[in-house]
């Protein structure tokens, strides 16, 4: 089933965007284990991420969103189909250039904020002066300078999440994949974190794919939004928001924002009911 494409604004024509990552005919079936039956979690899915866009994926609980991210990142192999990043096939490991931010509280509790952020760079054997420079920048960018020596348990949930984003950011990924990174935060903090993410996206020029269950978050942050069906997750619709690149959480008070969220909700409502009726994830 081909996904329908909806443009929420007529005047924003994207001129031959460059392809950054692509999934073609991807399915993921988790094999049966003992008495646990196999699960057809995802697909078939076709997905094309454009260079430098902010792309979000919304879908009912348990529909295969994390599976989609894992397969795109090379953390999990597709049962069928093909994944390509910057023209090369993704097979079995996360390619350099892709950074992943997992769900909340993935910071290492035994490392300070600074050491958490430096972890990946040090593991790669980056020159210590360069580590210092990049970590210093990330601490400043994420507003964590005063907490460089603190441990994750001494931080708020939002600050811990900023540490996780900074840890990915210092690796200078060209494609950033985020799996419900603000899930545990309150609504206001989520909006502010969204602003930081938009700033990061603009400054780095990276392509971003955000998985979220929050329709307002997707509506505010994205250039394009994919709406997934109940499991096995397929892309039912792709929606272009038409937002200008310079945007922040203030657009949440615009009529256009309401139009986007109500369109998303309309598509998702039925699917969420289906997912809930059979026990969600
Ligand atoms: N490693 C695994 N082994 C077996 N089944 C799995 C595995 N990971 C996920 N699943 C199953 O695949 C389906 C999709 O899971 P997934 O985590 O991708 O959904 P999701 O959309 O991210 O859910 P949520 O909204 O709750 O985060 C679920 O039925 C889940 O039980
Ligand atoms: Mg998930």
């Amino acid at each position: 089933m081909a996904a329908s494409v909806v443009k929420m604004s007529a005047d924003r024509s994207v001129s031959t965007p460059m392809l950054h990552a692509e999934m073609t005919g991807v399915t993921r079936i988790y094999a049966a284990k003992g008495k646990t039956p196999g699960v057809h979690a995802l697909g078939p899915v076709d997905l094309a991420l454009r260079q430098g866009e902010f792309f979000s994926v919304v879908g009912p609980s348990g529909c295969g969103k994390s599976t989609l991210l894992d397969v795109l990142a090379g953390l999990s192999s597709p049962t069928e189909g093909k994944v390509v990043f910057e023209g090369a096939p993704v097979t079995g490991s996360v390619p350099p250039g892709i950074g992943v931010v997992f769900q909340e509280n993935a910071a290492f509790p035994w490392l300070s904020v600074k050491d958490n952020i430096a972890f990946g760079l040090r593991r790669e054997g980056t020159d210590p002066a360069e580590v210092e420079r990049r970590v210093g920048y990330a601490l400043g960018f994420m507003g964590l300078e005063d907490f460089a020596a603190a441990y994750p348990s001494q931080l708020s949930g939002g600050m811990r999440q900023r540490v996780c984003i900074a840890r990915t950011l210092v690796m200078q990924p060209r494609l950033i994949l985020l799996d419900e990174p603000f899930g545990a935060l309150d609504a206001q903090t989520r909006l502010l974190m969204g602003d930081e993410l938009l700033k990061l996206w603009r400054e780095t020029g990276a392509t971003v794919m955000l998985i979220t269950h929050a329709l307002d978050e997707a509506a505010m942050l994205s250039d394009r939004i994919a709406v997934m069906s109940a499991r096995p997750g397929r892309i039912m619709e792709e929606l272009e928001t038409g937002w200008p690149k310079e945007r922040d959480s203030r657009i949440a008070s615009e009529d256009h924002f309401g139009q986007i969220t109500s369109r998303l909700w309309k598509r998702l409502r039925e699917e969420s009911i289906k997912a809930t009726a059979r026990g969600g994830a």
Side-chain angles (χ1 to χ4, degrees), residues 21 31 34 40 49 62 66-67 86 98 126 144-145 166 213 223 232 240:
H40 182 178
L49 295 182
S66 296
T67 302
E86 296 181 344
I98 295 187
T126 309
L144 291 165
E145 290 120 318
H213 62 265
D223 294 316
E240 300 219 13

Side-chain angles (χ1 to χ4, degrees), residues 20 44 47 75 92 98 106 159 182-183 187 209 214 228-231 281:
H20 202 179
L47 175 71
L75 291 162
I98 295 187
M159 289 159 82
F182 312 140
M209 187 179 91
M228 284 178 76
S229 67
R231 192 181 66 238

Side-chain angles (χ1 to χ4, degrees), residues 137 141 169 172-173 176 199-208:
Y137 173 80
F141 188 88
L169 167 67
Q172 301 182 335
I176 307 176
K199 202 168 103 197
L200 170 72
W201 167 65
R202 274 192 298 268
E203 283 199 11
T204 59
T207 307
V208 171

